[in-house]
Amino acid sequence: MKTTPFFSFSALALLFGLSAGCASSTLATDVREVDDVFKARNRRDLAVSVPDEEDWEKTAAEVPKLLAKPLDADAAVRIALAHNRDLRAAFYEIGIARGQFVQAGLLPNPEIEFELRRSTDPAQPLQADIGLEYDISALLLIPLRKGVAEAELSAERLRVAGEVLDTAYRARTAFYTVQARRQELDLRARALTAFQAGYAAAEELNRAGNIPDVDLATQRAAVESARIDVAEAENLLLDARESLNATLGLSGEQTRWTVEAPLADPSTEALPTEQLEKRAVEASFELAELEARMQVSSRRVGLARTEGNLPHLSGGFHGEHDGFSWELGGHVTVGLPVFNRNQGRVISARSELGAQRERYAATATALRATVRSALNRVESTGRRAQHYRQVVLPAREKALAETLLQYNAMQVSVFQVLDSQRQVTQTGMAYVETLLAYWNARAALDQIIAGRHRGLGLGPAGASGTSMPSGGGGSAEAVH
């Protein structure tokens, strides 16, 4: 008699094939889905294109081309998005959540039991038992568990999208710092050159007997102090370059990039202040992620309750062969939820949901405050930078020129000339620091509007690492 097997070989092969397919990497899918988030917001400049995992491990083709030319802020962002290893790790972490989502949707495996028995009576035939057991409760809970995992995957995708913004922001601000340190080194170098020229002239005047030795020694001390200032400025520039290298993920020959352009003057473009707080809240990846986390917690509450109240169900078939014929039957096992109804898990899940709600409200409040702070910082630093460039710096340079004229006429001492020269340098340094604070604040404001407000390095409101010279010539703080 021809029989039909319960599971055909082709069906088993298909099942194993599907299992193998589910185990493959989903990196390209994860990257594409995050890119789609930014495309929907018309931010294609933040797309991270990775065709497959093999190419992902290589240097992106655009990186050498960008490094071959003097860098600008946009190029630094592109390199960071293509080459930063921490960002790549974040994309792999989406795969962890996706794997949990796939796992949650898999059917439970059946359990098969075989048993052979031989009686001590040699006249009795060999007896065999076979049983098939299946966890029915696990099967019924698949939709709920899959819903929790799906919400977690969505939250993870939003978290990584926020990390894309963080990486771009760090690259941009690190680039601005390199520009500022280059300008400060230039200022220190120009001051050294001026002091060296003054010392050379003082040597000639001293040999002619026109100035005392104390003036010559003072000029020499000024030269050596300026030389130390240059060395310190060089060290700060090197530190800034290494910070940018780390953000861009560069090493070896790739670190020989150049920067030519100085920090630009404050933009005259009007700030997008209309409904700024509302736009920031709507765009916030942090709030979107917290909303997704609340969805996760809510679904966990439902899952815990269902698991607790649903009786544990399992069933199967049983066959016994007594040596002459088969006896077939089935059974169902029911576990009564009398004592353990997941009360503890329900409490934990509800507490997690409450905590997420409070964090959402706190984050929204902090976001609005950060928007106002960043906007104030942009406006304040912009006005101060303009005042430095248009008023304070010209006043300092004119004061230096007048002091030199009076020194040549023997009306003032060398100390006043040196002091005037130092004030020009310090004012230039303060201008550069204010420009850096302006562009950092501008990057922070753009970052908030793009959807991220945490980790912004706005710094203290006074934002100047260089002490302002006292005395005439006007104060930029007056325009704060």
Side-chain angles (χ1 to χ4, degrees):
M1 182 179 69
K2 185 177 179 181
T3 60
T4 302
F6 187 70
F7 289 109
S8 67
F9 178 78
S10 57
L12 287 173
L14 177 61
L15 282 174
F16 283 118
L18 289 174
S19 299
C22 291
S24 62
S25 172
T26 61
L27 181 63
T29 301
D30 299 332
V31 173
R32 185 173 58 253
E33 289 181 353
V34 173
D35 284 349
D36 289 342
V37 172
F38 289 110
K39 287 178 184 175
R41 298 183 176 206
N42 199 24
R43 291 299 306 269
R44 295 176 183 272
D45 57 310
L46 295 172
V48 181
S49 300
V50 181
D52 55 55
E53 189 168 7
E54 186 174 348
D55 283 350
W56 176 255
E57 296 298 331
K58 300 176 182 175
T59 299
E62 63 178 331
V63 172
K65 297 177 182 176
L66 293 169
L67 292 173
K69 298 182 291 185
L71 287 183
D72 57 24
D74 291 337
V77 169
R78 289 304 313 157
I79 293 172
L81 295 182
H83 213 248
N84 184 283
R85 294 287 173 168
D86 284 332
L87 183 59
R88 294 185 181 189
F91 277 105
Y92 275 105
E93 288 168 355
I94 299 180
I96 298 173
R98 187 177 296 280
Q100 292 169 346
F101 169 70
V102 171
Q103 187 66 34
L106 297 179
L107 299 176
N109 292 322
E111 295 180 355
I112 301 177
E113 179 184 4
F114 293 98
E115 183 179 346
L116 292 174
R117 299 193 305 275
R118 176 174 290 282
S119 172
T120 54
D121 183 358
Q124 295 294 324
L126 181 68
Q127 297 182 356
D129 291 341
I130 183 172
L132 176 66
E133 192 76 16
Y134 200 75
D135 190 341
I136 300 173
S137 295
L139 180 66
L140 296 176
L141 290 171
I142 283 179
L144 291 178
R145 289 174 176 166
K146 193 174 179 180
V148 173
E150 184 179 23
E152 288 180 335
L153 175 60
S154 177
E156 191 66 9
R157 193 182 298 125
L158 291 168
R159 183 187 69 80
V160 174
E163 291 210 19
V164 171
L165 281 179
D166 289 346
T167 303
Y169 172 76
R170 287 195 298 270
R172 190 173 294 278
T173 54
F175 178 80
Y176 291 153
T177 302
V178 170
Q179 286 182 300
R181 299 298 170 246
R182 282 188 69 252
Q183 287 179 258
E184 290 172 0
L185 177 59
D186 290 343
L187 284 169
R188 294 295 190 190
R190 286 206 297 269
L192 174 60
T193 301
F195 286 131
Q196 286 174 326
Y199 178 65
E203 282 185 311
E204 294 297 328
L205 292 172
N206 180 259
R207 275 194 286 271
N210 292 330
I211 63 171
D213 290 345
V214 64
D215 283 4
L216 182 63
T218 302
Q219 293 274 16
R220 173 68 185 276
V223 169
E224 299 308 323
S225 296
R227 205 185 303 278
I228 292 174
D229 290 341
V230 169
E232 290 178 350
E234 287 175 340
N235 192 54
L236 289 174
L237 175 58
L238 291 174
D239 287 348
R241 286 182 62 92
E242 292 309 322
S243 177
L244 182 56
N245 281 330
T247 303
L248 303 188
L250 302 178
S251 61
E253 296 292 324
Q254 295 173 323
T255 62
R256 295 184 176 180
W257 44 266
T258 60
V259 174
E260 293 183 356
L263 282 170
D265 290 331
S267 174
T268 56
E269 183 182 345
L271 291 172
T273 57
E274 186 177 356
Q275 295 185 323
L276 197 57
E277 292 181 32
K278 180 181 178 182
R279 290 166 53 198
V281 169
E282 291 175 348
S284 174
F285 280 109
E286 281 116 341
L287 291 178
E289 182 188 344
L290 282 170
E291 200 170 342
R293 301 284 179 199
M294 285 194 288
Q295 187 71 13
V296 172
S297 301
S298 176
R299 292 185 182 186
R300 278 181 180 157
V301 171
L303 175 61
R305 282 176 174 165
T306 304
E307 283 179 330
N309 295 321
L310 179 69
H312 176 73
L313 298 174
S314 65
F317 298 94
H318 178 79
E320 181 177 346
H321 192 271
D322 59 3
F324 302 100
S325 62
W326 281 99
E327 293 180 359
L328 301 177
H331 71 273
V332 174
T333 304
V334 180
L336 299 179
V338 178
F339 304 110
N340 181 358
R341 296 196 302 277
N342 264 353
Q343 295 96 326
R345 290 183 180 176
V346 171
I347 292 173
S348 298
R350 293 185 65 179
S351 298
E352 183 181 349
L353 176 59
Q356 297 289 0
R357 284 173 179 162
E358 294 302 321
R359 289 197 181 95
Y360 184 92
T363 301
T365 301
L367 171 58
R368 290 188 174 89
T370 307
V371 170
R372 295 190 292 271
S373 177
L375 182 59
N376 293 336
R377 191 66 59 85
V378 170
E379 293 174 343
S380 173
T381 54
R383 287 196 298 269
R384 280 185 286 153
Q386 293 285 6
H387 196 68
Y388 270 122
R389 186 171 64 86
Q390 296 173 358
V391 179
V392 184
L393 273 172
R396 292 292 184 198
E397 289 169 351
K398 184 177 180 181
L400 174 61
E402 293 294 332
T403 304
L404 284 172
L405 289 175
Q406 293 184 24
Y407 176 74
N408 292 336
M410 309 295 284
Q411 298 297 312
V412 298
S413 70
V414 67
F415 299 102
Q416 290 171 283
V417 175
L418 294 177
D419 183 62
S420 185
Q421 177 63 57
R422 289 193 188 95
Q423 291 197 8
V424 169
T425 303
Q426 289 175 354
T427 303
M429 298 282 289
Y431 171 59
V432 172
E433 289 296 328
T434 306
L435 267 185
L436 177 59
Y438 168 80
W439 284 111
N440 281 342
R442 191 65 192 258
L445 188 61
D446 292 342
Q447 177 83 342
I448 294 168
I449 296 173
R452 200 74 164 175
H453 84 282
R454 286 179 178 161
L456 301 180
L458 289 175
S464 174
T466 304
S467 58
M468 266 296 298
S470 59
S475 170
E477 300 304 325
V479 298
H480 178 72

